[in-house]
Amino acid sequence: MRCLGCDLVGPAERLDYELGDDGDVAWAQRVTWQCAECGYLDAITADQVLDLDDVHTCVGCAARTPCPASAARVECERCGLIGLGPATADPEIAGQLRAIEALHDMELRVQQALRASRDPSTGPHPA
Ligand SMILES: [Zn+2]
Ligand SMILES: [Zn+2]
């Protein structure tokens, strides 16, 4: 999926959907997902799902996972390892991915520190 938050294509951190009678995603229901790269939360529709027009080869188990050519990150369908997608052959996209992941990582640590400082049982947190 292409994220509206960071404009990268990658796997979802979270995907909430219902299955229809045909075993496919019930698109009539609300489908929400969260971007694994930047944490952006959004509702998506069927026309936002991208075609799997390329393949990603896992660096861990060498399994080949179909993915969109525009993917910056691809999750291996065999072992679950998340690797670099075909789009990162473009240095501009690779740089954008690094910058967004570093920013998201920092946000998560700030949130953790805030939670820890609000929770009296963990005591004061040295900065
Ligand atoms: Zn994103
Ligand atoms: Zn793998």
Side-chain angles (χ1 to χ4, degrees):
M1 277 159 280
R2 180 175 294 279
C3 174
L4 295 177
C6 65
D7 203 37
L8 290 173
V9 174
E13 177 81 47
R14 261 181 41 205
L15 186 61
D16 297 314
Y17 60 88
E18 311 228 349
L19 281 181
D21 295 335
D22 57 356
D24 204 351
V25 176
W27 288 105
Q29 311 289 328
R30 187 177 161 84
V31 179
T32 55
W33 82 295
Q34 185 170 28
C35 173
E37 266 66 70
C38 74
Y40 187 83
L41 196 64
D42 196 13
I44 55 162
T45 52
D47 59 5
Q48 278 173 273
V49 177
L50 299 164
D51 288 335
L52 304 175
D53 49 7
D54 209 335
V55 283
H56 160 73
T57 304
C58 178
V59 293
C61 72
R64 288 159 69 81
T65 302
C67 68
S70 52
R73 284 268 180 217
V74 179
E75 184 174 352
C76 174
E77 63 183 5
R78 191 199 289 173
C79 72
L81 188 76
I82 294 180
L84 290 172
T88 54
D90 180 341
E92 201 174 305
I93 292 187
Q96 195 186 348
L97 177 70
R98 272 196 301 272
I100 286 162
E101 287 186 335
L103 200 70
H104 183 46
D105 199 47
M106 206 149 54
E107 271 171 26
L108 290 179
R109 261 178 294 172
V110 168
Q111 281 168 14
Q112 259 167 16
L114 282 175
R115 263 199 297 275
S117 69
R118 279 198 211 106
D119 183 356
S121 67
T122 58
H125 218 71

